[in-house]
Amino acid sequence: SAASGVYKRQYLNRHLDGGQQYMTGDNLTIVDISMATNISLTEIKGYKMEQWPDLAMWYRRMKALPYWAECNRGLYEWKSPQ
């Protein structure tokens, strides 16, 4: 449900408010990859994350990874087919 999704994003935002770079600390792990996959689906649905600034910053960090675009090309092509 929409309320459940909001609660999950609030939880993740609080989890990241300690200044750490990634979900489990300062090193990228499978947890970040898994969560980024889920969050990317909300992006293509048009949800805005400004109300969760720490989560939004983490997601921008994930999208800045050098392999993000290549790994997610199919998702973005699906979002906006030619």
Side-chain angles (χ1 to χ4, degrees):
S1 75
S4 174
V6 168
Y7 173 76
K8 289 173 187 173
R9 287 186 291 278
Q10 288 172 339
Y11 174 81
L12 290 172
N13 191 68
R14 282 195 312 272
H15 180 74
L16 289 163
D17 70 1
Q20 63 200 42
Q21 296 291 304
Y22 298 102
M23 289 286 172
T24 62
D26 289 329
N27 296 305
L28 182 69
T29 68
I30 191 70
V31 173
D32 297 287
I33 303 298
S34 177
M35 293 308 303
T37 301
N38 292 318
I39 298 295
S40 66
L41 294 175
T42 65
E43 177 189 10
I44 66 169
K45 287 185 169 188
Y47 293 119
K48 305 296 180 201
M49 288 193 288
E50 290 83 19
Q51 59 188 328
W52 305 289
D54 296 312
L55 182 59
M57 185 182 331
W58 166 82
Y59 188 59
R60 285 191 302 273
R61 190 175 303 115
M62 294 300 293
K63 290 177 68 173
L65 292 170
Y67 42 81
W68 179 271
E70 181 180 350
C71 291
N72 290 282
R73 181 179 13 205
L75 178 69
Y76 292 114
E77 287 172 356
W78 179 67
K79 175 186 175 187
S80 48
Q82 301 298 324

